Amino acid sequence: MVCMKLGSKPEAFQREGQTWTCKAGLPSDVVIEVGEMLFHLHKFPLLSRSGVLEKLIQDITDQPNCSLQLHDLPGGAKSFEIIAKFCYGVKVELTPTNVVSVRCAAEHLHMTEAYGEGNLIKRTEDFLNEVFANWDDTIKALESCEEVLSYAQELHIDSRCIESLANKACADPILSAQPSSKRKKTNSSNGDGLWNGLRMEIESQTVGKDWWYEDASFFSLPMYKRLIFAVGSKGMSPEITAASLMFYANRHLPGLMGKSISKNNVDHVNPSSSISSLPEEDQRHLLEEIVGLLPEKKGVISTKFLLRLLHTALKSHASSTCREDLEKRAHPWLTDSEREQLCRLMNCQKLSVEACTHAAQNERLPLRVVVQVIFFEQLRLRTSVAGWFFVSENLENSQGQQVDGATDRKEDQGTGMNDMGLKVSELEKECLNMKQEIDKLGKGKSSSSWSILSLLGFRKSNPKNLNTSKPCNSKATPSSEPTSAAPVTGGENHEKH
């Protein structure tokens, strides 16, 4: 970590509780209040370095109690302590952690070169340039921007941090000598890097293109998004960007980590440290943002990861836009084996009529899945029709036994019979539509595909013949089958019209 020491005088400040006092031998003639802290100082050292303090002190010179309030100072009392020591020439140390707030405070107090050569604005700018040359120090500076974000944005400090990190992330890791927390772990501590008594710097040779993923995964979502946009604008490949997004998602979305997934084998991008815990609402927002950042290029994101994202999106009730985006990404470029694996997750017995119709029309679905969908729909249709016939017969029997029944009751029964007839007719129409969909499938599939369908009792049918089916008689027995329902038994059975 780089640092810069300012001033040469020994410590001249003493703190007692919430009060700072300068031990210069002379009584203080001004009190600066910053937050809950009181600084008892002298006017001249302050006004000689700051244009704002010069004006404020001149405005209150005639007052008996010379007191100022700087509650809006960036960085608060910690920043002003460094500024006060700098004005007195006392030794002070700038670090990547405090330089951003001090730089913003110096700008706020107008500590320019007009108020002394080598003033605090120039000193902090020079030190920031040193910080930007180092990966770890730049990360610390960027994280400290969160405390004074609005001021850091005005001075473009956060943008310069992002730019520096993006340049280093896009650089060749073998040629680059930028240290990072992950690289330091690769250092040899047992003498393996020694040659003729000299240590060889070999860690850069063992670092891959993913060396920056872990450090970036600790960023807040807004900062991480800006980094991803920056590396993308510099030409980073979609594969590397996608891998970083997967790493970030696995760290912050515990729902992605299934029980069957090994902690050390999650598409080679599982974070090594513990997963952060976010509120459910924040996790949903994070998921939607990550999905929006995924590269459009085909094949850069594994199907397994996309399915985990989709599963988490459904569980967390993510937006319809997010779910539709994931659904579109998972299917168009799937291989035949991947489609088979994906379709195994679908329970064909629980599909709605609309879903069954969509499955019959979807040319990308494997034929085996289409056959299963149609088979279970036919089975469900036969069961429903048989149930209606059974209810119909019971109603007729009960009607014959109750000779003295009321007229309005008979009318209700007649209405029920008519409703059942309409429902049976609707079932027949649905069956007809399904057969027509089978005919459409037959035009685009091979003859061997129809041999599979024939094993289930289906055959190519003429829609004109199907239209000759008539509504079922309400007096049919429970064992009667609808004229338009295709049998679901195997063998050489054929459909009766």
Side-chain angles (χ1 to χ4, degrees):
M1 180 182 73
V2 298
C3 62
M4 176 182 286
K5 294 183 179 180
L6 305 178
S8 58
K9 297 179 181 179
E11 181 64 59
F13 286 83
Q14 180 179 1
R15 177 177 178 178
E16 295 181 0
Q18 302 295 324
T19 303
W20 280 97
T21 304
C22 178
K23 301 180 297 182
L26 297 175
S28 64
D29 54 6
V30 63
V31 177
I32 309 288
E33 184 178 353
V34 185
E36 297 180 354
M37 298 296 297
L38 296 177
F39 293 85
H40 294 267
L41 306 173
H42 303 85
K43 297 177 182 179
F44 180 76
L46 300 178
L47 60 86
S48 64
R49 285 291 190 176
S50 168
V52 172
L53 291 177
E54 179 187 36
K55 183 178 185 305
L56 292 175
I57 290 173
Q58 289 177 351
D59 292 341
I60 62 173
T61 300
D62 298 334
Q63 298 181 10
N65 296 324
C66 192
S67 178
L68 298 175
Q69 293 183 342
L70 298 176
H71 297 308
D72 57 346
L73 184 72
K78 291 183 179 180
S79 294
F80 188 76
E81 178 187 346
I82 295 176
I83 289 174
K85 291 180 178 181
F86 174 79
C87 293
Y88 279 83
V90 175
K91 291 180 180 180
V92 65
E93 186 174 80
L94 291 179
T95 67
T97 304
N98 65 23
V99 65
V100 175
S101 60
V102 175
R103 170 66 181 89
C104 294
E107 185 73 22
H108 183 78
L109 295 176
H110 198 203
M111 301 179 72
T112 64
E113 293 298 287
Y115 292 86
E117 184 179 357
N119 209 347
L120 195 56
I121 289 180
K122 185 179 186 304
R123 292 290 188 92
T124 51
E125 277 294 332
D126 292 341
F127 183 63
L128 279 174
N129 291 330
E130 296 182 23
V131 169
F132 295 149
N134 184 280
W135 172 267
D136 283 344
D137 291 342
T138 306
I139 289 179
K140 294 175 182 177
L142 180 60
E143 291 174 344
S144 67
C145 286
E146 299 280 3
E147 301 175 1
V148 288
L149 188 57
S150 60
Y151 299 98
Q153 288 176 340
E154 290 181 5
L155 299 175
H156 306 290
I157 299 176
D158 56 336
S159 299
R160 287 184 282 170
C161 288
I162 293 290
E163 185 77 6
S164 173
L165 293 176
N167 287 332
K168 294 175 177 59
C170 294
D172 189 335
I174 296 180
L175 300 178
S176 175
Q178 301 302 327
S180 71
S181 59
K182 195 167 186 177
R183 291 187 184 188
K184 292 176 182 178
K185 297 177 183 178
T186 64
N187 288 344
S188 174
S189 59
N190 56 6
D192 294 339
L194 294 177
W195 180 76
N196 287 345
L198 299 177
R199 179 168 298 280
M200 299 172 60
E201 297 297 331
I202 63 173
E203 68 267 20
S204 61
Q205 300 179 6
T206 62
V207 175
K209 294 182 179 180
D210 62 345
W211 63 269
W212 56 278
Y213 292 174
E214 184 170 3
D215 289 333
S217 69
F218 285 98
F219 290 169
S220 65
L221 179 60
M223 289 296 185
Y224 179 75
K225 285 179 60 177
R226 294 176 62 183
L227 178 62
I228 290 299
F229 288 137
V231 296
S233 66
K234 296 183 180 298
M236 178 166 286
S237 67
E239 289 80 4
I240 298 178
T241 303
S244 174
L245 286 165
M246 294 164 68
F247 195 105
Y248 192 88
N250 282 327
R251 174 180 294 281
H252 297 283
L253 295 175
L256 292 178
M257 308 295 291
K259 295 182 179 180
S260 60
I261 301 174
S262 171
K263 187 176 182 181
N264 296 322
N265 185 23
V266 185
D267 295 328
H268 74 273
V269 291
N270 185 45
S272 58
S273 58
S274 60
I275 298 176
S276 62
S277 178
L278 294 174
E280 184 177 350
E281 181 67 25
D282 292 341
Q283 290 190 35
R284 179 166 56 252
H285 175 68
L286 177 62
L287 173 66
E288 294 171 351
E289 291 287 344
I290 289 177
V291 172
L293 292 172
L294 294 178
E296 295 293 337
K297 184 179 178 181
K298 296 180 180 180
V300 298
I301 305 173
S302 67
T303 303
K304 181 191 298 183
F305 182 75
L306 286 174
L307 290 176
R308 291 209 306 264
L309 280 178
L310 180 58
H311 178 71
T312 306
L314 293 173
K315 288 181 60 178
S316 61
H317 304 289
S319 66
S320 58
T321 303
C322 174
R323 298 195 303 268
E324 291 172 1
D325 189 5
L326 289 171
E327 291 168 357
K328 292 177 182 178
R329 291 175 181 271
H331 294 59
W333 56 80
L334 293 179
T335 63
D336 291 339
S337 60
E338 288 175 334
R339 289 176 183 172
E340 291 284 348
Q341 292 178 354
L342 178 61
C343 290
R344 289 194 188 106
L345 304 175
M346 180 172 59
N347 189 343
C348 297
Q349 301 184 52
K350 294 185 178 181
L351 297 179
S352 64
V353 176
E354 293 80 5
C356 291
T357 304
H358 173 76
Q361 296 174 344
N362 192 336
E363 297 180 356
R364 294 196 299 266
L365 283 178
L367 180 61
R368 182 182 62 83
V369 177
V370 178
V371 171
Q372 285 183 348
V373 169
I374 297 176
F375 170 80
F376 287 116
E377 186 63 17
Q378 289 280 4
L379 186 62
R380 182 166 58 183
L381 181 64
R382 291 188 60 184
T383 304
S384 299
V385 173
W388 284 116
F389 286 149
F390 181 75
V391 173
S392 174
E393 183 174 304
N394 288 342
L395 286 175
E396 288 183 350
N397 293 337
S398 62
Q399 186 178 14
Q401 293 174 0
Q402 297 177 359
V403 180
D404 298 330
T407 303
D408 55 349
R409 184 175 180 182
K410 291 181 180 180
E411 292 178 354
D412 292 341
Q413 290 176 349
T415 302
M417 295 293 292
N418 292 333
D419 291 341
M420 284 189 291
L422 292 175
K423 291 181 179 179
V424 171
S425 178
E426 291 176 359
L427 290 172
E428 289 178 346
K429 291 180 181 179
E430 291 180 6
C431 182
L432 173 61
N433 292 334
M434 295 185 67
K435 287 185 178 182
Q436 291 174 345
E437 294 299 336
I438 296 173
D439 289 333
K440 292 180 182 179
L441 285 173
K443 296 178 182 179
K445 305 292 182 179
S446 62
S447 58
S448 60
S449 301
W450 278 106
S451 64
I452 298 176
L453 289 171
S454 64
L455 293 178
L456 294 175
F458 299 117
R459 66 178 178 85
K460 293 185 178 180
S461 56
N462 189 343
K464 294 182 179 179
N465 294 335
L466 293 175
N467 289 333
T468 59
S469 61
K470 299 179 180 179
C472 297
N473 194 327
S474 60
K475 296 183 179 180
T477 61
S479 61
S480 300
E481 296 181 359
T483 58
S484 61
V488 294
T489 57
E492 300 296 330
N493 292 338
H494 294 283
E495 190 174 31
K496 296 181 181 180
H497 294 277

